Amino acid sequence: MGVLCGGPLRGAWDRACDRCFRLFPCLSDPARRSALSLKLALVMLHLVFAGVVFVLDNDLIQKTRQEPWYTVSYVILFVATLVQYFVTSGTSPGFVLEAQKAIDERDALERRTLLASKQPASSKNGSVFITVDRTNYQRGNASAWTKLVMDLYPPGSSPRNLTCTYCNVIQPPRAKHCHDCDKCVLQFDHHCVWLGTCIGQGNHCRFWWYICEETALCIWTSILYITYLKSNISRAWWADVIIILLLVALLISLIFLLLLLLFHSYLIMTNQTTYELVRRRRIVYLRAIPERVYPFSKGICRNLYLFCCAAQSSSKYRMEALPSAEELEEKTRPYKCSDVLSCRCCC
């Protein structure tokens, strides 16, 4: 009997799943289904935490009628946080294969232009530029990517030791293969489970803004909860229990968000990544550098500029060369009073 009942039901379920997968091909991948479920769960959590206080707090509803700007500002922050979440999760972190493909396409375009005009290829051909420490690096041959990357390492480095065994591509400095995404990422920071993607050069700035907005939203929502408890603590005990439980969860999340925000702000000002900070002794080209020396730092002001402005250009991949021995010696020099006056740490 169970087989007779289970057979038709099983067949109907399989047909429904097949129809759903045809309408939404992305759902056929288990990893994408898991990421989509996680995104829906996060949206529902936001709706629950923000909606409960508006449902239970009559004083807040009355205040909204008298001062609508207060609630409108909160709703704007709420929507902006969710939009920033989806924008960050949908932004490419900067895959190495994408940069290599961009080089190949640009070189092919330059060759066609050269053959058509019988003139030297112009640096303006193509829309993709590879920026290497303030210089637009242009190559016109098939090994442009190899020459570009090898120039970022000290002389004598072996391409074999720098080639990813999974992607079969030569990695520039600060790149790493992500086993979750199965791709090499420029300036790899970490793989974020909540976003379902890597954090790298292409989306690190958006990730920081998302944490900032999420922290502000969490603080504001906690203030609404505390205000409710102060004015309605003796009206309905069950509502108080719900608010207190949600407030505890909010405060725990707020502590985590604040620590994460401060940590990534420190990384930005010193031009580091989480991977470089945590796994420094495992990275070959960073082992010999003292712990308190930030090899890629160019001063706080320029680090902020590169992070906020230069890294957001969609037509440019930024790769940094390893510092020379003279630069490292300058970075290890102790600070003096004159260095403070000259803003050595900023410039």
Side-chain angles (χ1 to χ4, degrees), residues 304-342:
L304 291 175
Y305 168 77
L306 292 174
F307 181 81
C308 298
C309 302
Q312 301 309 307
S313 176
S314 60
S315 62
K316 179 169 58 180
Y317 295 93
R318 180 171 55 88
M319 291 183 286
E320 301 176 72
L322 291 175
S324 62
E326 293 77 10
E327 293 174 334
L328 287 176
E329 184 178 357
E330 176 66 20
K331 293 177 184 295
T332 56
R333 182 171 60 86
Y335 279 89
K336 301 179 181 179
C337 296
S338 58
D339 296 327
V340 177
L341 296 176
S342 61

Side-chain angles (χ1 to χ4, degrees), residues 106-324:
R106 191 219 39 227
D107 288 343
L109 178 61
E110 288 184 350
R111 292 194 200 98
R112 291 195 298 267
T113 305
L114 179 62
L115 292 175
S117 62
K118 300 299 182 180
Q119 296 177 356
S122 172
S123 62
K124 295 182 180 180
N125 292 333
S127 60
V128 178
F129 294 89
I130 302 297
T131 299
V132 181
D133 288 348
R134 304 189 183 97
T135 303
N136 287 332
Y137 197 97
Q138 298 287 334
R139 295 285 185 178
N141 50 53
S143 60
W145 175 258
T146 301
K147 291 183 178 180
L148 185 152
V149 174
M150 294 309 301
D151 284 348
L152 303 178
Y153 289 97
S157 301
S158 173
R160 181 177 301 177
N161 298 331
L162 306 174
T163 302
C164 175
T165 56
Y166 301 95
C167 299
N168 196 27
V169 61
I170 300 179
Q171 294 179 335
R174 314 191 73 181
K176 180 187 178 298
H177 183 86
C178 175
H179 295 281
D180 295 290
C181 297
D182 198 24
K183 292 181 181 179
C184 292
V185 179
L186 293 171
Q187 289 189 21
F188 175 83
D189 189 89
H190 71 285
H191 184 88
C192 182
V193 178
W194 285 103
L195 291 170
T197 186
C198 281
I199 304 301
Q201 183 187 98
N203 60 357
H204 198 176
C205 183
R206 291 185 172 91
F207 177 73
W208 185 89
W209 279 109
Y210 166 67
I211 299 174
C212 186
E213 294 173 10
E214 194 74 72
T215 303
L217 181 64
C218 193
I219 292 174
W220 199 339
T221 307
S222 300
I223 292 174
L224 294 178
Y225 278 29
I226 294 173
T227 303
Y228 169 83
L229 290 175
K230 286 183 178 179
S231 58
N232 301 275
I233 191 64
S234 60
R235 295 186 183 180
W237 66 269
W238 59 269
D240 294 340
V241 171
I242 294 175
I243 291 295
I244 290 174
L245 291 176
L246 293 178
L247 180 60
V248 171
L250 270 177
L251 294 177
I252 294 174
S253 302
L254 180 58
I255 294 173
F256 172 77
L257 287 170
L258 284 173
L259 293 176
L260 191 63
L261 183 63
L262 292 174
F263 175 70
H264 278 274
S265 298
Y266 163 75
L267 293 178
I268 294 166
M269 290 188 292
T270 55
N271 196 6
Q272 296 185 92
T273 64
T274 302
Y275 173 69
E276 291 171 345
L277 183 65
V278 176
R279 301 288 186 178
R280 185 160 183 162
R281 291 303 176 187
R282 295 183 58 182
I283 302 175
V284 177
Y285 51 83
L286 294 181
R287 288 177 182 172
I289 301 177
E291 291 286 345
R292 295 183 179 274
V293 175
Y294 313 121
F296 299 105
S297 177
K298 299 173 178 60
I300 295 176
C301 295
R302 182 160 179 80
N303 289 340
L304 291 175
Y305 168 77
L306 292 174
F307 181 81
C308 298
C309 302
Q312 301 309 307
S313 176
S314 60
S315 62
K316 179 169 58 180
Y317 295 93
R318 180 171 55 88
M319 291 183 286
E320 301 176 72
L322 291 175
S324 62

